[in-house]
Amino acid sequence: MAEKSFKYVILGGGVAAGYAAREFGKQGVQPGELAIISKEAVAPYERPALSKAYLFPEGAARLPGFHVCVGSGGERLLPEWYKEKGIELILSTEIVKADLPAKTLVSAAGETFKYQILIIATGSTVIRLTDFGVQGADAKNIFYLREIDDADKLVEAIKAKKNGKAVIVGGGYIGLELGAIMSINNFDVSMVFPEPWCMPRLFTSDIAAFYEDYYTNKGIKIIKGTVAVGFTADSNGEVKEVKLKDGRVLEADIVVVGVGGRPLTTLFKGQVEEEKGGIKTDAFFKTSVPNVYAVGDLATFPLKLYNELRRVEHVDHARKSAEQAVKAIKASEEGKSVDEYDYLPYFYSRSFDLSWQFYGDNVGDTVIFGDNNPKSAKAKFGSYWIKEGKVIGAFLEGGSAEENQAIAKVAKLQPSIQSLDALKSEGLSFASKI
């Protein structure tokens, strides 16, 4: 098969790839210099929509409505945009071999792609219950959500199993967002997770209690401290029951699994330095291999604010790390320099009428403030994390744009406090004064 050569190749077609392409467009790229190679069949899009508006029963989001970069208020990059810029979109193409010393990528179909500079933006893949040999986990209507194809299959099942029973396996991001979505679609929803409370990697028990009570009030059954150990299927091979470790059995027409992801680094094993489950980079997202960069979920990078190496799985970092890498590539070509990546960790989620944001680090002592009664018409509450007398993390549910900016500023500046009690009584006004 013919070999194709490019100056720059972005491997992966997710959020990071789209934002990198936009930055190349801003910085200046000649027609034919840049290619995006993606196993997905569509141009890069804002992946968070898949667990939110894409699954709404009415007024659902559809492409081309949420191509990048609308998620951050930017222009929407339709396939025509890439064409106009002379950027080659090589879609429905899975790379099965990467030879970094030879600067060569090989696809499943046997095509060869050469590059001078590579940006690895392959992101993460979902962890599947079949990976652990869970009995019956290959039944039909057990779904995972990562790509648009996954969401399309779930949409079809929601229509086919109208007003049925849904079991959500997992109590993290996907679990909470899909629990809400399935409830909005008029399903009888049960959520199952092994931890003592939902979103344990971020939420304190106090924060989690609000969301669990809110979901319970919406008719969602929350089952904690146990896991799915097996599934039974009907004669059509469709899931009908979820067996739990504690002996309970739940009826299910649809199961959605959200038990985490793992970075897609397999292609590069033994060829590039790794750390903390990802590909190790510097503050410009350069890897240990010259002319190879890694961005987004799979990059383990220096988090300047906390002086440590970290891997961050979130769309905000995917966008910003991609832009930083392209700026660094272009600057080095021109003999210039760019500032080191100085990232403030940021996470957010929306479900039902709720919307929260978190900035900073969630370690140390905590105080909770505001109205966290799940029965309130418009609950608004937050939490601060305090370490060594300084506020280093801040969370807010129901905040305005200005209030969210205020808590972000607190997490970035890390102000000192006099006492936890004083901070608790000041609440949101503490952030407003910073």
Side-chain angles (χ1 to χ4, degrees):
M1 274 195 169
E3 182 178 284
K4 284 188 167 182
S5 291
F6 301 93
K7 185 174 184 183
Y8 314 104
V9 167
I10 301 168
L11 180 57
V15 172
Y19 280 75
R22 181 179 68 166
E23 192 60 37
F24 270 116
K26 278 186 197 169
Q27 300 276 343
V29 66
Q30 295 302 310
E33 281 189 334
L34 170 62
I36 294 175
I37 305 175
S38 171
K39 74 180 179 70
E40 292 196 71
V42 294
Y45 57 88
E46 299 284 4
R47 216 179 277 289
L50 298 183
S51 60
K52 301 178 183 73
Y54 200 82
L55 301 174
F56 284 173
E58 288 165 21
R62 287 292 176 267
L63 288 178
F66 60 98
H67 279 298
V68 296
C69 301
V70 294
S72 59
E75 65 175 311
R76 191 174 48 165
L77 308 186
L78 300 173
E80 296 78 51
W81 179 88
Y82 298 89
K83 206 169 279 180
E84 284 164 18
K85 295 281 182 189
I87 298 168
E88 193 159 339
L89 275 179
I90 302 168
L91 304 176
S92 303
T93 300
E94 186 178 3
I95 296 299
V96 294
K97 183 168 185 266
D99 186 338
L100 299 185
K103 297 187 172 184
T104 302
L105 306 170
V106 180
S107 76
E111 302 154 293
T112 301
F113 303 96
K114 302 281 279 187
Y115 61 83
Q116 292 173 40
I117 294 174
L118 176 67
I119 298 178
I120 302 168
T122 44
S124 297
T125 187
V126 293
I127 294 169
R128 296 177 179 271
L129 297 181
T130 45
D131 298 345
F132 308 112
V134 175
Q135 184 189 1
D138 53 356
K140 292 175 189 167
N141 294 336
I142 297 178
F143 297 97
Y144 300 82
L145 198 58
R146 179 68 192 173
E147 298 176 355
I148 204 158
D149 280 356
D150 303 324
D152 284 338
K153 288 171 189 162
L154 181 53
V155 166
E156 287 310 307
I158 288 170
K159 288 177 189 165
K161 301 293 181 184
K162 205 170 172 61
N163 305 337
K165 294 181 188 297
V167 175
I168 311 294
V169 177
Y173 258 112
I174 291 292
L176 285 169
E177 292 187 355
L178 265 294
I181 283 286
M182 296 307 286
S183 175
I184 290 165
N185 276 284
N186 210 29
F187 274 70
D188 179 354
V189 180
S190 298
M191 288 179 66
V192 180
F193 50 90
E195 298 89 359
W197 62 79
C198 66
M199 280 288 280
R201 283 168 63 185
L202 177 59
F203 289 177
T204 61
S205 58
D206 286 341
I207 295 171
F210 168 84
Y211 294 98
E212 289 175 12
D213 288 349
Y214 189 99
Y215 275 48
T216 301
N217 292 340
K218 290 281 188 184
I220 295 172
K221 291 178 277 302
I222 292 180
I223 301 165
K224 300 185 275 190
T226 190
V227 292
V229 292
F231 301 88
T232 57
D234 64 16
S235 55
N236 297 320
E238 295 183 348
V239 70
K240 66 172 186 178
E241 287 176 338
V242 183
K243 294 187 244 178
L244 304 184
K245 193 173 185 179
D246 66 9
R248 278 183 275 185
V249 177
L250 308 176
E251 287 180 50
D253 299 297
I254 290 177
V255 174
V256 184
V257 181
V259 291
R262 58 166 66 98
L264 283 165
T265 58
T266 316
L267 282 172
F268 314 102
K269 288 271 180 231
Q271 300 187 72
V272 65
E273 198 175 331
E274 293 187 46
E275 190 145 338
K276 295 187 175 177
I279 295 174
K280 188 181 178 186
T281 76
D282 64 10
F284 310 100
F285 296 97
K286 281 195 282 193
T287 70
S288 59
V289 177
N291 298 313
V292 176
Y293 294 72
V295 296
D297 284 7
L298 53 63
T300 302
F301 65 96
L303 191 51
K304 194 175 178 181
L305 191 59
Y306 307 122
N307 194 29
E308 65 177 60
L309 285 173
R310 219 179 258 194
R311 205 169 59 73
V312 174
E313 294 180 2
H314 195 262
V315 66
D316 181 60
H317 165 66
R319 293 167 180 152
K320 290 173 178 169
S321 60
E323 290 168 348
Q324 170 76 350
V326 176
K327 284 173 184 165
I329 288 165
K330 285 301 205 175
S332 68
E333 288 175 352
E334 294 162 14
K336 296 175 183 169
S337 62
V338 292
D339 290 338
E340 291 183 338
Y341 192 61
D342 189 8
Y343 186 65
L344 174 66
Y346 162 55
F347 301 95
Y348 73 88
S349 185
R350 293 186 298 273
S351 57
F352 293 118
D353 296 324
L354 304 173
S355 175
W356 60 259
Q357 295 194 6
F358 167 85
Y359 295 89
D361 211 8
N362 60 329
V363 292
D365 296 321
T366 59
V367 297
I368 196 158
F369 59 85
D371 174 12
N372 62 339
N373 180 348
K375 291 183 176 165
S376 294
K378 190 75 181 94
K380 183 194 280 190
F381 73 97
S383 189
Y384 294 119
W385 281 258
I386 304 94
K387 186 181 174 188
E388 294 166 4
K390 291 180 176 179
V391 181
I392 60 161
F395 170 96
L396 186 60
E397 164 62 50
S400 66
E402 294 75 25
E403 288 164 340
N404 287 326
Q405 283 168 358
I407 66 160
K409 194 174 178 186
V410 166
K412 184 78 175 169
L413 296 178
Q414 301 182 355
S416 297
I417 59 151
Q418 298 307 309
S419 76
L420 295 181
D421 289 341
L423 181 63
K424 183 179 175 68
S425 62
E426 276 193 79
L428 193 51
S429 64
F430 174 82
S432 307
K433 293 186 311 194
I434 299 298

